[in-house]
Amino acid sequence: MSYRKRTAALASAAALAGSAVWMAAPVARAEVVDVNYQCKTPIGDKSAVSPIDIKGVKSGSGYRITMSWQKGVSSSPVELGKGAMTPSATVALGGADSGTLAVSGPANDAAIPANTPIKISDLSGTYTPKKSGEVTFTAGVLTIKALGTTTTCTPTNDPGPSLALDVSAGSGGGAGGSAPGGSGADTGAGLPQTGPEDSAVALGTLGGTVLLAGAAGALWLTRRHQGARAGR
């Protein structure tokens, strides 16, 4: 094979390697879903619609799942002082997995005035895949504990998944997940988000590294060929 053909073949192989890395990217889909909550409160039934956002961040052998409310739900007839309200919720698993994931969060960091929608803080928990494939995450039951009472809010409009992840089960085959403070919980600090944009950036960088390695190899061959010709 001539020198020019060898160089072209090397460059093509590097490009194909970069394409293969890109095509192997794990798929993650996320969207904000409107959830119609029907709440059972100590003073009667109430309802509220809140857009729900669920995100996943790779954390060791699992994922840190965070559930966010864009609008408040339910309300209290009296003011709830700082730290008086503690929320928790479940996330329904679907697709390749089943069951629920418990998520929880901190108490309210500021007083909540009477008769105003209660804004729920972000709730999170750690999900460890027990099966490989696409797993969906859908808003489940919200529980609010305040002043010795419990309010339970249940989705009634059969909301669709807020997040879908392609996951691989670990060798340990661990099941389910845990909320912060539970056994096996992982903060996942400083790890990349598994959403489409961050996966694309990370894998694009890896693909670029492969291409640069190919280009370096081609440059080395060029210099070697030129040196060989000069020594003749």
Side-chain angles (χ1 to χ4, degrees):
M1 182 183 294
S2 70
Y3 164 72
R4 289 184 179 277
K5 288 183 178 180
R6 287 199 305 271
T7 303
L10 180 58
S12 297
L16 287 173
S19 299
V21 171
W22 180 265
M23 291 177 67
V27 177
R29 301 194 309 274
E31 63 177 311
V32 177
V33 176
D34 287 339
V35 179
N36 186 355
Y37 283 104
Q38 294 294 322
C39 300
K40 299 290 186 181
T41 80
I43 59 173
D45 295 349
K46 296 187 177 183
S47 64
V49 176
S50 179
I52 300 296
D53 180 30
I54 299 178
K55 290 184 173 64
V57 177
K58 193 72 174 73
S59 176
S61 61
Y63 295 85
R64 186 70 165 176
I65 303 300
T66 300
M67 186 178 186
S68 302
W69 277 257
Q70 296 189 5
K71 290 184 179 179
V73 297
S74 190
S75 61
S76 171
V78 298
E79 178 180 279
L80 299 177
K82 179 180 178 180
M85 184 274 295
T86 304
S88 61
T90 59
V91 176
L93 306 177
D97 209 343
S98 60
T100 59
L101 170 69
V103 292
S104 62
N108 56 307
D109 58 3
I112 302 174
N115 301 313
T116 60
I118 297 175
K119 178 67 171 68
I120 305 299
S121 60
D122 288 354
L123 308 182
S124 60
T126 299
Y127 167 69
T128 302
K130 61 179 182 284
K131 293 183 179 179
S132 298
E134 184 180 80
V135 177
T136 60
F137 299 80
T138 304
V141 176
L142 167 67
T143 301
I144 302 172
K145 294 186 177 182
L147 304 179
T149 67
T150 299
T151 294
T152 303
C153 300
T154 304
T156 60
N157 61 331
D158 193 21
S162 295
L163 175 67
L165 292 175
D166 275 352
V167 303
S168 296
S171 57
S178 59
S183 60
D186 192 337
T187 60
L191 293 167
Q193 183 178 324
T194 55
E197 294 181 0
D198 291 327
S199 293
V201 172
L203 288 161
T205 301
L206 180 56
T209 301
V210 173
L211 291 174
L212 287 174
L219 179 59
W220 179 80
L221 285 176
T222 300
R223 291 179 175 175
R224 182 182 179 188
H225 179 75
Q226 290 175 344
R229 291 180 58 186
R232 290 176 185 172

